[in-house]
Amino acid sequence: MPPIRLTFIAVKHFRPFSAWRGLLLLLIVVRLPLPSSAVDTPPPDVLIINSYAPGYEWSDEMVSGLIAELSVKYPEFEPVIQYLDFRRFPDQQREQWLLSDIEHKCRVRPPRLIITLDDPAFNFALRHRARLGAQIPIVFGGVNHFVPELIAGQRALTGVAEESDFSGTFALIHALRPQARHLLVIGNQTVSSREKRRAFDAHAPQFAGNLAIEHFDNWTNAELIERISNLPADWIGLILDVTRDAAGENNYNNPEFSSTLARRASVPLFLTARPPGDKDWSHYEWDGIGGGMVVADLHGRKVAELSARVLGGEPADTIPVVQHTPQKLEVDYRQMRRFGLTVSQLPPGTAVINRPATDFRIDRTWVIQAGVLLLLLCGVIVVLSVNILRRQRAERALRQTEERLRAAQKLEAVGLLAGGVAHDFNNILQVIRGHTEFLRDAVSGLPQAKEDVAVIRDAALRASQLTQQLLAFSRKQPLSAQPIDPSELVTGVVTMLRRTLGEHVELETRLLPGPTQLVADKSQLEQVLINLCVNARDALTEGGRIVISLEQTEGGVPAGEAESEMPPGSRLLLTVADNGQGMAPEVQERLFEPFYTTKALGKGTGLGLAVVYGIVRQHGGTISVTSEPGRGTTFRILLPMGHVEQTPVVAPAPVVAGRGEGTLLLAEDDPNVRRVAIRFLEHAGYRVIAAADGVEAEELIRRHHAEIGLAVLDVLMPKRNGRQVYDMIRREYPGLKVLFCSGYSAEMLPPGSAPDGNFELLHKPYTYEDLVARVQRSLHKAV
């Protein structure tokens, strides 16, 4: 059986405050031997070249931290340490003697790694690397003025520079003294201080914020004490180096000087390094309140971290040099109390030194045990509560989704019905509008009859507009999507609305802060705003306010909005709110249904909000409404900012001057519409060959193809539709041009009835000018 290891840990400064704890003087930890794989790992041979002699506290602490960190991985780690003592003996003859000694050690016991600490050792290793072993990797630490050029051309070399970026100290400054406006940076004329000032000047602009910086680096001790004793309240101090004054007096690790400095300062003095050594800093004063400390032990441990990677087989060339030495945020509680600062102001992770013991800290075991038990009970309660809440939220979301789905299906069904009605209605309107034009010419000399014809024509025009609204609700209107600025669109509509809504309505806008691009159909969005504002105006019977606001969101759904099927990305939230009468829940349920209205008979068609719904949905957006009786109504429209599906819209073409000539084929199954179209075309000067269905059209084309210049085809016809006739023409007579007509929009055409690609489509009801212009344009268009 392998031997058992016993570790005895004595409890120092133990305070007996209970009988049973007074009996616990030793903690016995039983440890079995480590696995053989760990025990058998031989420690690596490492040569540490130290710039100074034993007793120089900074490098001693660096060596201690380095060895402690590497001993975790290599328990029997015992490096060879060579002290150069260059601070006291920098002569060349001694350097040659040291080189011979180290060279001998490298031959007798070749190291796997050379570690240099501080600048002299680093420079020594680079000067004599060929003799020490050019193939041996080097990890350096404590290099005060590192620049990449120092290691240019060197192989297998990395390390840790001894330069702070002062980020930790500035973090404490901004947390503890945000009201400070001036920073006194205290240094001296030593080489080390000049290097620290160079580094400070390089990094300060990144962290200083609005602090005005003044350097104070040529002083005697008396002058320094006088200056910091009289700093105004909006000043703070930052100590780079106070180890020596201008008269040559040494202040390094001098508790008396540090105590005087700390007690006489009128404002907090922040630090960048903690003095090394074994001074009891709970007894002596610090130089200042604290800061992002450059600690020798941490620096050594960082060097050890890189060394372990190299010893583990990672090439030193591939390990980047650590440009800024690790920092440790530390503050002296006594200094914080002196200046009225609290621990709650400190950044997370800041160590507080000399904090007085409290009852909790003295007897915290009982508190911790009770707290842990309470946390466990609270955890169980929280887990159960969260599960219950999640289930309730999921059930509520499911009900809302089902309700939205039912509403969407209902509106979709109504939309399909509306689109179909619009098609048949367009054919009827085509006959009415065509014959009013014939009558207009026939009764030009009869004023009363001419007036009657104008009334019929206006009624037919209003009916045509009604079908356009039905198509908008069913999302079958073609979009003319272009980049627009939402703020400009709102501004333009509001200018018109101020004249329309009346003086009793106050109209307010909240626009986007800067230019923004939205891809949408400008005229359709203008229609949305007009319809919503007119609807809001009707709710403000005694006057009130309408607010139109714009907000751009990224990715997620804005607060208060339901999840939508829109893809992630930039979105525009358009809100129209009024403080009018509001709506009851049962009204809101039917709000977007076509022909549903709460207005008096003759006061509205019930299509305004239905059109809004269709336009928003066709743009890929969502619309929601919140309202309460007596508390107003708010419509929220969410639109994607980017690409929307675009359908080419044919701009009206002017009628070409002069009469037409040539022969046209007209295929139209509705006899009344066919007669109107024939009269239009013959009046324009064309000879027309008419067909009542697709089969007859194909027969007439085969018989007269040599004389026909253009085939005008209705899309939906009996026997063979317009697409099938078109395919026959492309196959047998590819030079024959084609113009399609339909009461449907392109989006509503049944699958397979419209040709692929761009094609000419004339929408019914059309006027004489519309038909003749499109015929002339089609005749002059290349096949």
Side-chain angles (χ1 to χ4, degrees):
M1 175 180 178
I4 296 177
R5 296 183 180 181
L6 300 180
T7 301
F8 296 88
I9 303 175
V11 181
K12 187 179 180 181
H13 302 307
F14 184 79
R15 296 182 182 180
F17 48 85
S18 63
W20 69 272
R21 292 188 180 183
L23 298 177
L24 185 60
L25 299 177
L26 295 176
L27 175 63
I28 303 177
V29 181
V30 180
R31 296 190 300 165
L32 294 177
L34 294 172
S36 59
S37 60
V39 175
D40 296 339
T41 302
D45 286 321
V46 174
L47 172 62
I48 299 177
I49 304 178
N50 193 325
S51 297
Y52 310 116
Y56 184 61
E57 292 170 323
W58 177 266
S59 62
D60 285 351
E61 280 198 15
M62 205 171 354
V63 171
S64 298
L66 188 154
I67 294 176
E69 187 71 19
L70 283 175
S71 296
V72 175
K73 185 173 183 180
Y74 306 104
E76 307 299 330
F77 177 64
E78 291 184 4
V80 175
I81 304 177
Q82 181 73 47
Y83 293 95
L84 301 182
D85 202 6
F86 273 3
R87 181 179 290 272
R88 296 183 297 177
F89 305 104
D91 56 282
Q92 292 291 326
Q93 184 177 357
R94 186 172 179 277
E95 179 175 339
Q96 292 302 316
W97 175 82
L98 287 170
L99 175 60
S100 299
D101 183 41
I102 297 173
E103 187 178 13
H104 173 74
K105 291 175 180 177
C106 288
R107 283 198 305 267
V108 174
R109 186 177 172 182
R112 291 175 53 195
L113 175 67
I114 295 176
I115 299 175
T116 68
L117 300 180
D118 283 304
D119 294 89
F122 173 71
N123 295 330
F124 176 88
L126 291 188
R127 282 197 302 270
H128 307 297
R129 191 172 189 186
R131 293 178 61 179
L132 299 180
Q135 78 283 359
I136 302 174
I138 295 177
V139 175
F140 63 82
V143 175
N144 283 291
H145 43 80
F146 175 81
V147 290
E149 289 76 12
L150 286 176
I151 60 174
Q154 296 286 341
R155 295 177 59 254
L157 192 148
T158 187
V160 183
E162 190 181 311
E163 180 177 299
S164 172
D165 65 358
F166 303 95
S167 58
T169 301
F170 274 113
L172 279 174
I173 288 174
H174 294 309
L176 297 180
R177 298 289 283 190
Q179 72 274 25
R181 293 295 176 266
H182 300 274
L183 174 63
L184 183 68
V185 182
I186 304 169
N188 56 28
Q189 297 300 310
T190 64
V191 174
S192 175
S193 179
R194 288 198 297 269
E195 287 297 331
K196 289 179 180 177
R197 175 170 176 174
R198 178 193 60 78
F200 177 85
D201 290 342
H203 296 291
Q206 181 180 357
F207 304 108
N210 59 355
L211 288 171
I213 298 173
E214 178 184 334
H215 285 279
F216 187 53
D217 50 17
N218 192 10
W219 42 264
T220 63
N221 285 350
E223 291 170 342
L224 175 60
I225 298 300
E226 176 68 19
R227 182 69 190 276
I228 66 168
S229 300
N230 295 288
L231 288 175
D234 63 343
W235 282 69
I236 53 173
L238 174 65
I239 296 176
L240 293 182
D241 195 331
V242 291
T243 57
R244 188 180 302 275
D245 73 349
E249 186 170 344
N250 185 18
N251 301 322
Y252 182 75
N253 236 353
N254 184 345
E256 183 179 353
F257 172 78
S258 296
S259 178
T260 303
L261 199 65
R263 294 182 180 182
R264 294 288 301 276
S266 61
V267 296
L269 301 180
F270 291 85
L271 309 176
T272 59
R274 171 156 56 81
D278 56 358
K279 294 290 187 295
D280 184 0
W281 293 102
S282 64
H283 176 69
Y284 295 106
E285 295 282 358
W286 287 16
D287 291 343
I289 195 170
M293 305 297 199
V294 176
V295 183
D297 176 82
L298 287 180
H299 191 93
R301 290 180 181 273
K302 190 65 179 179
V303 173
E305 180 185 320
L306 270 59
S307 301
R309 292 169 63 182
V310 174
L311 292 171
E314 191 171 345
D317 295 315
T318 64
I319 303 175
V321 173
V322 178
Q323 300 279 356
H324 302 120
T325 188
Q327 301 177 44
K328 182 179 181 181
L329 292 182
E330 290 182 331
V331 293
D332 185 352
Y333 183 82
R334 297 167 299 188
Q335 287 284 314
M336 291 189 61
R337 183 179 59 189
R338 178 173 172 238
F339 291 106
L341 303 172
T342 63
V343 175
S344 62
Q345 295 175 257
L346 295 172
T350 305
V352 182
I353 311 299
N354 301 320
R355 189 175 185 178
T358 61
D359 291 340
F360 164 71
R361 297 179 68 187
I362 295 173
D363 195 15
R364 58 187 175 186
T365 302
W366 282 106
V367 176
I368 292 173
Q369 290 174 349
V372 169
L373 180 60
L374 181 61
L375 285 174
L376 288 174
L377 293 175
C378 291
V380 173
I381 295 173
V382 168
V383 170
L384 293 176
S385 301
V386 168
N387 286 337
I388 293 172
L389 289 174
R390 284 179 176 174
R391 181 171 180 176
Q392 291 175 343
R393 190 180 297 117
E395 292 174 349
R396 186 165 55 251
L398 179 60
R399 287 195 299 270
Q400 292 174 349
T401 302
E402 290 175 345
E403 291 172 1
R404 288 198 298 268
L405 179 60
R406 282 195 295 269
Q409 290 174 337
K410 178 180 178 181
L411 291 175
E412 188 70 24
V414 174
L416 291 174
L417 175 62
V421 170
H423 166 258
D424 292 338
F425 204 42
N426 279 335
N427 278 336
I428 297 172
L429 288 173
Q430 179 64 66
V431 177
I432 296 173
R433 292 184 64 180
H435 282 281
T436 57
E437 293 193 30
F438 301 150
L439 287 174
R440 181 189 59 189
D441 296 337
V443 299
S444 57
L446 303 173
Q448 183 61 49
K450 187 176 181 180
E451 182 179 346
D452 293 340
V453 171
V455 171
I456 297 172
R457 185 180 182 183
D458 291 342
L461 181 61
R462 289 197 300 272
S464 177
Q465 293 171 346
L466 183 62
T467 63
Q468 297 304 310
Q469 291 179 327
L470 287 172
L471 289 172
F473 168 72
S474 61
R475 289 179 277 161
K476 301 304 180 181
Q477 279 283 72
L479 281 181
S480 179
Q482 300 294 334
I484 60 173
D485 189 321
S487 297
E488 292 182 0
L489 180 138
V490 171
T491 302
V493 173
V494 166
T495 302
M496 183 271 291
L497 285 174
R498 292 190 192 279
R499 299 190 298 266
T500 304
L501 299 181
E503 296 181 355
H504 69 294
V505 176
E506 177 187 353
L507 193 56
E508 177 184 341
T509 59
R510 298 170 185 172
L511 306 179
L512 296 173
T516 308
Q517 190 175 89
L518 169 71
V519 179
D521 188 315
K522 181 179 179 182
S523 62
Q524 300 243 23
L525 290 191
E526 288 174 342
Q527 186 68 50
V528 167
L529 278 174
I530 293 171
N531 288 7
L532 290 178
C533 289
V534 170
N535 189 74
R537 189 248 350 241
D538 294 341
L540 301 173
T541 54
E542 299 180 359
R545 185 173 63 172
I546 300 174
V547 179
I548 304 174
S549 61
L550 297 173
E551 177 185 348
Q552 187 174 357
T553 65
E554 296 292 337
V557 178
E561 294 300 307
E563 290 290 340
S564 73
E565 63 271 19
M566 277 191 293
S570 186
R571 303 169 179 182
L572 178 74
L573 177 62
L574 167 63
T575 305
V576 178
D578 66 69
N579 59 351
Q581 300 173 352
M583 294 180 288
E586 58 271 16
V587 175
Q588 296 180 46
E589 290 178 2
R590 303 185 60 190
L591 197 60
F592 299 116
E593 292 182 16
F595 305 115
Y596 175 75
T597 180
T598 58
K599 300 175 184 177
L601 185 64
K603 296 294 184 181
T605 63
L607 281 174
L609 293 180
V611 169
V612 169
Y613 174 86
I615 293 174
V616 171
R617 295 295 292 169
Q618 192 171 8
H619 278 80
T622 61
I623 181 170
S624 61
V625 60
T626 55
S627 181
E628 292 183 27
R631 303 193 65 176
T633 300
T634 299
F635 287 90
R636 291 183 178 85
I637 296 173
L638 199 60
L639 297 172
M641 297 290 293
H643 174 77
V644 297
E645 183 178 355
Q646 302 182 33
T647 300
V649 176
V650 179
V655 180
V656 179
R659 292 177 57 79
E661 59 183 17
T663 302
L664 306 179
L665 172 80
L666 173 66
E668 169 62 57
D669 62 308
D670 188 307
N672 294 323
V673 174
R674 188 168 61 249
R675 281 192 292 270
V676 169
I678 291 173
R679 290 183 63 177
F680 278 169
L681 293 173
E682 288 180 342
H683 185 267
Y686 296 102
R687 174 173 172 260
V688 180
I689 301 173
D693 55 55
V695 172
E696 185 180 1
E698 291 181 356
E699 293 176 354
L700 292 173
I701 289 171
R702 290 189 177 97
R703 192 181 312 159
H704 302 283
H705 65 85
E707 54 189 293
I708 296 175
L710 174 70
V712 181
L713 306 177
D714 189 21
V715 175
L716 299 180
M717 296 184 292
K719 299 180 181 179
R720 291 180 67 80
N721 60 36
R723 163 65 182 273
Q724 293 169 320
V725 177
Y726 174 83
D727 290 341
M728 184 276 293
I729 293 174
R730 293 280 75 83
R731 188 172 56 252
E732 300 181 19
Y733 311 104
L736 181 58
K737 300 169 184 177
V738 176
L739 170 65
F740 286 94
C741 298
S742 179
Y744 287 105
S745 65
E747 291 78 8
M748 287 190 64
L749 291 173
S753 62
D756 298 329
N758 295 326
F759 58 93
E760 294 282 344
L761 178 62
L762 177 62
H763 296 281
K764 303 174 187 176
Y766 48 76
T767 63
Y768 168 80
E769 290 81 5
D770 293 336
L771 177 60
V772 174
R774 292 297 290 276
V775 166
Q776 290 178 354
R777 189 172 73 181
S778 297
L779 284 170
H780 291 87
K781 181 180 178 182
V783 179

Short mmCIF file of all heavy atoms in Angstrom, two decimals, residues 184 192 398 470 743:
data_model
loop_
_atom_site.label_atom_id
_atom_site.label_comp_id
_atom_site.label_asym_id
_atom_site.label_seq_id
_atom_site.Cartn_x
_atom_site.Cartn_y
_atom_site.Cartn_z
N LEU A 184 -2.39 65.91 -11.63
CA LEU A 184 -0.98 66.21 -11.44
C LEU A 184 -0.20 64.89 -11.49
O LEU A 184 -0.36 64.04 -10.62
CB LEU A 184 -0.76 66.91 -10.10
CG LEU A 184 0.69 67.33 -9.81
CD1 LEU A 184 1.10 68.46 -10.76
CD2 LEU A 184 0.86 67.74 -8.35
N SER A 192 14.19 55.49 -15.05
CA SER A 192 12.94 54.73 -14.91
C SER A 192 11.73 55.63 -14.99
O SER A 192 10.74 55.32 -15.65
CB SER A 192 12.95 53.97 -13.57
OG SER A 192 11.72 53.33 -13.36
N LEU A 398 -49.24 30.91 -26.95
CA LEU A 398 -49.91 29.99 -27.87
C LEU A 398 -51.31 30.51 -28.19
O LEU A 398 -51.73 30.49 -29.36
CB LEU A 398 -49.98 28.59 -27.26
CG LEU A 398 -50.68 27.51 -28.10
CD1 LEU A 398 -49.97 27.33 -29.43
CD2 LEU A 398 -50.75 26.19 -27.35
N LEU A 470 -59.80 47.63 -53.02
CA LEU A 470 -59.98 46.20 -52.76
C LEU A 470 -58.70 45.43 -53.11
O LEU A 470 -58.29 44.52 -52.38
CB LEU A 470 -61.16 45.66 -53.57
CG LEU A 470 -62.55 46.05 -53.09
CD1 LEU A 470 -63.60 45.61 -54.10
CD2 LEU A 470 -62.84 45.44 -51.73
N GLY A 743 -58.59 42.18 -66.07
CA GLY A 743 -59.17 42.86 -64.91
C GLY A 743 -58.42 42.53 -63.64
O GLY A 743 -58.62 43.16 -62.60
#
